[in-house]
Amino acid sequence: MTRVWLLALGAFAIMASAMSLLVFIPQAMFASVEAAEALPRYTQRQARGRELYIANGCVYCHSQQVRDPAFTTDVDRGWGTRATVPADYVYDKPHLLGTMRTGPDLINVGQRLPSVEWHLLHLYDPRAVNEWSTMPRFTWFFEERDEGQLIPGEKPITLPPGRAPKGKIVVPTEDGYAIVDYLISLNRTYPVSDTNRVMKTIGGRGDHGGK
Amino acid sequence: MIPSSIPIILMTALFTAGAAFVLAWVWRRGFLRDFDAQSRSIFDERDFRVVRPWEGPVDQLEREMRFGTPVAPRPGEWGDADPACTGAVPPSSRHHDDAPAPSTPRRRPA
Amino acid sequence: MTAPPRPPSHTPSPDLAAVAASRGLAPEDLEIRLRADESSRRIVLLAFSVAIVWLIVGSAFGELASLKLHWPELLTRTPWLTFGRVRTAHLHLVNYGWASTALIGTALWLLPRLVHTELKGAGHAAVGAILFNIGLVLGVIGVLMGYSDGMEWLEAKRWVSAPFLVLGGGLIGLAMFRTVAARRTDHLYVSVWYILGAFIWFPMLYLLGKWPGWSGVESAAVNWFFAHNVLGFWLTAMSVGAAYYFIPKVLGRPVHSYQLSLLGFWSLACFYSLNGMHHLVGGPIPTWMVTTSIVASVLMFIPVFATGINLHMTVVGRFTALRYSPTLRFVVIGALAYTAVSLQGSFSALREVSRITHFTHWTVAHSHVGGYGFVTFVCFGAIYYIVPRLVGHEWPSSKLIRWHFNLVLGGIAIYVLALTWAGVAQGLAMLDPQIPFSESVRRTIPGLYGRSVGGVLMNLGHLVFAYHFFLMLRMPQGLGKRKRPPFHEAQPILYTREAEGA
């Protein structure tokens, strides 16, 4: 049996040490990271919007991280004013950093596109806004009602000519407003005095293309 | 980078030393003796003797000399289907050597 | 001529000893193999059947996801079919459904043979397999309904799926360890190391990944520690273990160098485990973590070359065997894909390359070279080898095997070429701030169409394979009761197999 014990122990030990190196030790280091004062917690509606972002798999096309301008052109492209740092994500549970850019990065979309109407229209009919877009429609954030059935207090979205369903108006639901509220809250352009200093407190420089 | 590299260097040294120690211990315990023989542990006699249709006559002769009388492959031996693919051994001298595998009459198209 | 009756388990048929003796073979050799096969028969067939169902369903979801990327109006008003949910369903069904179940079935068949004993605990392993699949189904249905825990590869809701997955997987692992504990062999062949390792590592990874309470960038580190290591320590480990058995076994030659396999196993464990952060190159985590992963990714050359040299040198000079053995065809190509995907991975981890390929379709193409070209192909090869030994007769149709092979090989080749090209075009466009983002999307469209075409071929290949598997199970136990061959084998009376030149 010795061989099996040896094998099992060795396998366990190697995995445990890797976990220590890449998960547990960093966790201890990250414990000291605090959110900047300029970053508020998510409101209840924004948190609901974030849940919807997760539920609909937005992370599989959109990233939420800006890479260092010394490394690559995220900032030049207008996706942010600086690289994002760990402190930007303190309230994100779980992270939504993403690994695909079928669509643009969204970590600063609230600063880039602060209009509620734009986002509502874009979610309902992406190709009414960008004809090259391959984003799915999210029609379930809206209700289509017959014209004249508007409830007081509701505001239908304005669709370009030819794109509205015939004889109907499109009204966002609570969920629709929630996810837009979340998107508009995404803004990490507040200054961080020195991104490298922030990173140093957790044991390293910001990752920007090596030494 | 100095503060964060020291732990990494120390850990790398520790792990390398640990691995070397375990390897030495395993060697002294005799687990690595006759190591190549372990690669043969998946074979039984029959595996070495089965006729393999992709082997040329020289290789097949070598098998016969080293391991003994050749044995015909069973249907599906290589994960295949067509009985015509299973052997250089002519059909008349094929036999089923694993008796409990039910013998299938040679299937021919209708 | 009547066939001898199938013997009850554990009691050697009276013919067996006589036949063995007349052939100069030791009855124990035969007996060990037959008892091993008999003990694992039901559960392995169950595992393969379930796995193939998931292959069909999971591939269909994959095709749907692929179509939606260049045809966004397709089924776009249905929430449970939105791309973000369909993609996740596909990932779960093909990785945890098809690949994991097929590899578990392969391991349950392999392990008893490798340690020369019967499978212990086939009963609770079967219960475990069912529980595991219940967990998977709950997870996938949840995802389609919008219930997701949010981290890629770990979306199945923690408090719903995890109990089933953990308990189910645990029962299966218990059977593995009990079987090894009862072993009657001195040596543990390399495949046993990989299988046992996988069953130690996967639970560790899963518990880490599903631990509630990770947040912020620490959750990103955990996410990619899990996701990358589930590839290396679960899917790859089980597949490499299988390849180390099937290639030498079919060829009748031991692996090229057993010392290399020792090196390969432990260096895989040491280096692969540190790779995970290469998914976060440029991301908001400390440089030292990313650098560690890049270094480990490049060091992967060592285990990959060790395994690659071992497997390829065992085959070298005998490539004609691939003509005769579907198992070899699939497993050898799978092993080549393993070498290719690992070299590609080491290359992609370098910062200079990641700059171009990160966030693009290149990564998706890469993951399919590994998950499909390697893991799935090894599973196909394993199933072609194992099932005849469990049901007592060969596969009914070489034509169906050929169709399957050609379709899936053609499909994955088109898939990888089209999507890699699309990814590079996308990445180069995104790197240049003068080029608008819309252009990066436009440039991928032709490659995405190509990927859908490849996907159609793969789906068709899976349907052929599933049909063939169904035929195989339906054949009576080799007593020639079937009076006519399956319809696709029907030939005019004038032709024989030999005339066809098969």
Side-chain angles (χ1 to χ4, degrees):
Chain A
M1 274 313 277
T2 338
R3 278 175 228 240
V4 178
W5 279 113
L6 204 58
L7 179 76
L9 201 61
F12 178 84
I14 292 178
M15 180 61 83
S17 6
M19 286 182 179
S20 304
L21 184 60
L22 290 179
V23 176
F24 300 132
I25 291 176
Q27 183 191 19
M29 291 173 165
F30 287 132
S32 61
V33 172
E34 280 169 2
E37 273 171 36
L39 182 67
R41 290 179 181 275
Y42 293 115
T43 64
Q44 201 166 25
R45 198 160 75 157
Q46 289 164 358
R48 169 74 188 141
R50 193 171 198 271
E51 273 171 27
L52 292 166
Y53 186 100
I54 291 172
N56 289 283
C58 306
V59 72
Y60 304 112
C61 286
H62 292 282
S63 58
Q64 284 188 12
Q65 51 181 288
V66 175
R67 296 174 292 176
D68 193 303
F71 178 43
T72 187
T73 55
D74 289 359
V75 170
D76 291 332
R77 190 169 270 294
W79 282 338
T81 52
R82 58 165 173 84
T84 46
V85 295
D88 293 328
Y89 302 97
V90 168
Y91 300 127
D92 286 4
K93 184 175 170 164
H95 77 97
L96 290 169
L97 292 179
T99 51
M100 279 294 284
R101 284 178 176 171
T102 318
D105 186 89
L106 295 182
I107 193 65
N108 290 306
V109 70
Q111 181 255 351
R112 203 160 65 234
L113 293 162
S115 154
V116 172
E117 284 73 31
W118 186 96
H119 284 287
L120 286 169
L121 175 60
H122 185 245
L123 283 167
Y124 180 75
D125 188 357
R127 279 156 287 289
V129 179
N130 293 315
E131 50 91 25
W132 49 264
S133 173
T134 56
M135 175 159 142
R137 289 173 178 249
F138 290 92
T139 54
W140 47 96
F141 291 145
F142 303 87
E143 278 174 24
E144 292 174 8
R145 307 243 189 78
D146 292 323
E147 276 171 4
Q149 282 201 351
L150 189 65
I151 294 168
E154 278 185 343
K155 186 166 177 263
I157 63 175
T158 318
L159 288 150
R163 302 211 62 113
K166 231 176 159 120
K168 289 195 185 292
I169 52 170
V170 178
V171 174
T173 60
E174 275 310 304
D175 279 352
Y177 283 117
I179 192 168
V180 170
D181 200 357
Y182 166 67
L183 290 172
I184 291 176
S185 79
L186 289 175
N187 186 338
R188 306 288 186 272
T189 55
Y190 54 83
V192 173
S193 52
D194 174 3
T195 57
N196 279 329
R197 190 188 59 76
V198 171
M199 295 302 247
K200 275 199 182 88
T201 63
I202 45 175
R205 292 198 314 230
D207 191 66
H208 57 72
K211 304 158 192 55
Chain B
M1 280 292 276
I2 303 286
S4 54
S5 14
I6 284 190
I8 293 175
I9 292 172
L10 281 178
M11 278 206 302
T12 309
L14 197 67
F15 288 137
T16 312
F21 171 75
V22 170
L23 199 60
W25 182 82
V26 159
W27 189 345
R28 282 229 306 274
R29 264 298 214 105
F31 289 158
L32 298 180
R33 209 180 354 198
D34 201 16
F35 202 52
D36 276 325
Q38 295 192 28
S39 67
R40 282 190 238 307
S41 62
I42 56 171
F43 301 109
D44 53 32
E45 272 187 69
R46 183 184 172 276
D47 289 317
F48 286 123
R49 287 161 57 179
V50 169
V51 172
R52 287 168 167 86
W54 56 83
E55 287 182 341
V58 174
D59 288 321
Q60 288 184 5
L61 190 62
E62 186 193 339
R63 265 191 201 282
E64 189 169 345
M65 284 171 56
R66 281 179 71 185
F67 302 113
T69 333
V71 155
R74 274 183 303 165
E77 180 86 41
W78 326 118
D80 60 319
D82 190 346
C85 287
T86 55
V89 179
S92 55
S93 63
R94 268 185 224 159
H95 43 250
H96 290 286
D97 56 327
D98 289 5
S103 61
T104 318
R106 282 268 155 253
R107 201 166 49 76
R108 289 278 172 250
Chain C
M1 175 168 79
T2 50
R6 175 169 273 286
S9 349
H10 314 309
T11 316
S13 138
D15 297 291
L16 176 57
V19 169
S22 70
R23 303 280 182 267
L25 294 168
E28 304 86 65
D29 270 353
L30 245 43
E31 218 184 288
I32 288 167
R33 248 191 315 137
L34 295 167
R35 284 222 312 269
D37 285 358
E38 185 59 35
S39 61
S40 51
R41 190 170 164 272
R42 274 216 196 85
I43 175 149
V44 173
L45 287 175
L46 172 71
F48 287 160
S49 308
V50 168
I52 290 176
V53 168
W54 292 137
L55 177 67
I56 303 296
V57 177
S59 312
F61 272 110
E63 186 64 23
L64 181 60
S66 178
L67 290 170
K68 278 167 172 277
L69 279 183
H70 55 78
W71 185 4
E73 290 293 321
L74 176 67
L75 296 170
T76 196
R77 289 174 183 269
T78 324
W80 62 275
L81 287 180
T82 189
F83 173 79
R85 301 185 195 181
V86 163
R87 181 217 194 259
T88 306
H90 163 71
L91 193 149
H92 280 242
L93 288 172
V94 297
N95 285 304
Y96 301 127
W98 152 247
S100 296
T101 314
L103 288 170
I104 286 172
T106 304
L108 286 169
W109 180 84
L110 262 183
L111 211 57
R113 276 192 165 219
L114 290 168
V115 297
H116 293 186
T117 184
E118 296 137 14
L119 179 68
K120 301 286 180 215
H124 61 71
V127 171
I130 292 170
L131 287 176
F132 188 86
N133 278 278
I134 291 176
L136 173 68
V137 168
L138 289 175
V140 170
I141 290 179
V143 160
L144 292 174
M145 289 170 62
Y147 299 109
S148 162
D149 272 349
M151 300 214 291
E152 204 173 334
W153 285 83
L154 287 163
E155 292 91 340
K157 286 305 267 188
R158 182 177 287 118
W159 304 120
V160 174
S161 287
F164 289 99
L165 297 172
V166 171
L167 190 56
L171 287 172
I172 296 171
L174 184 64
M176 301 283 186
F177 280 98
R178 280 181 60 194
T179 307
V180 173
R183 74 191 195 282
R184 293 202 196 102
T185 166
D186 271 339
H187 306 303
L188 286 180
Y189 186 65
V190 54
S191 304
V192 178
W193 315 337
Y194 279 106
I195 293 172
L196 289 185
F199 273 91
I200 293 171
W201 287 318
F202 194 17
M204 289 175 76
L205 289 168
Y206 190 71
L207 289 173
L208 181 83
K210 288 312 267 186
W211 194 258
W214 302 114
S215 66
V217 294
E218 147 195 313
S219 67
V222 167
N223 192 167
W224 293 108
F225 188 91
F226 173 85
H228 198 85
N229 288 335
V230 82
L231 296 176
F233 291 111
W234 173 244
L235 296 179
T236 298
M238 300 273 270
S239 304
V240 169
Y244 262 116
Y245 180 82
F246 292 116
I247 291 180
K249 188 76 167 176
V250 172
L251 289 175
R253 297 167 87 184
V255 296
H256 178 71
S257 162
Y258 208 58
Q259 284 84 353
L260 269 183
S261 56
L262 186 69
L263 172 70
F265 178 77
W266 291 108
S267 57
L268 180 88
C270 292
F271 301 139
Y272 208 115
S273 52
L274 298 174
N275 275 4
M277 305 305 124
H278 70 217
H279 294 265
L280 291 167
V281 174
I285 61 172
T287 304
W288 66 265
M289 289 174 71
V290 176
T291 304
T292 304
S293 286
I294 294 177
V295 169
S297 301
V298 173
L299 283 173
M300 280 299 293
F301 268 86
I302 297 173
V304 168
F305 273 138
T307 305
I309 288 173
N310 240 345
L311 296 177
H312 303 323
M313 290 300 283
T314 309
V315 184
V316 120
R318 277 153 174 72
F319 277 102
T320 36
L322 271 65
R323 268 186 57 212
Y324 293 89
S325 171
T327 298
L328 272 188
R329 240 174 273 158
F330 278 107
V331 177
V332 167
I333 291 180
L336 287 167
Y338 172 57
T339 308
V341 77
S342 304
L343 295 179
Q344 187 189 23
S346 301
F347 178 62
S348 309
L350 300 171
R351 286 191 169 90
E352 294 69 25
V353 180
S354 171
R355 239 179 124 238
I356 301 170
T357 62
H358 196 29
F359 298 126
T360 70
H361 294 290
W362 162 286
T363 309
V364 181
H366 168 71
S367 65
H368 283 78
V369 176
Y372 194 86
F374 168 47
V375 174
T376 295
F377 268 47
V378 169
C379 292
F380 286 148
I383 291 174
Y384 276 120
Y385 187 87
I386 295 171
V387 177
R389 285 158 173 77
L390 297 179
V391 301
H393 51 75
E394 77 269 36
W395 291 92
S397 165
S398 61
K399 197 182 300 187
L400 286 180
I401 299 181
R402 242 192 344 267
W403 272 94
H404 173 219
F405 179 74
N406 290 334
L407 282 169
V408 297
L409 186 64
I412 188 67
I414 293 173
Y415 184 115
V416 170
L417 289 169
L419 209 59
T420 303
W421 180 88
V424 174
Q426 182 187 11
L428 290 173
M430 280 203 291
L431 259 188
D432 184 350
Q434 304 303 322
I435 299 179
F437 182 79
S438 56
E439 192 55 30
S440 77
V441 176
R442 279 209 190 90
R443 289 183 187 180
T444 59
I445 302 292
L448 293 176
Y449 271 101
R451 190 256 299 265
S452 292
V453 167
V456 166
L457 295 180
M458 288 148 78
N459 273 273
L460 286 176
H462 301 160
L463 289 170
V464 168
F465 179 60
Y467 170 62
H468 200 190
F469 182 79
F470 172 72
L471 281 184
M472 182 69 152
L473 291 187
R474 293 265 300 183
M475 279 173 71
Q477 298 305 310
L479 294 178
K481 281 196 191 118
R482 190 167 43 83
K483 298 207 177 16
R484 284 176 310 180
F487 74 92
H488 58 272
E489 290 284 308
Q491 294 170 356
I493 253 164
L494 297 173
Y495 290 93
T496 61
R497 281 250 164 73
E498 281 74 18
E500 258 193 301

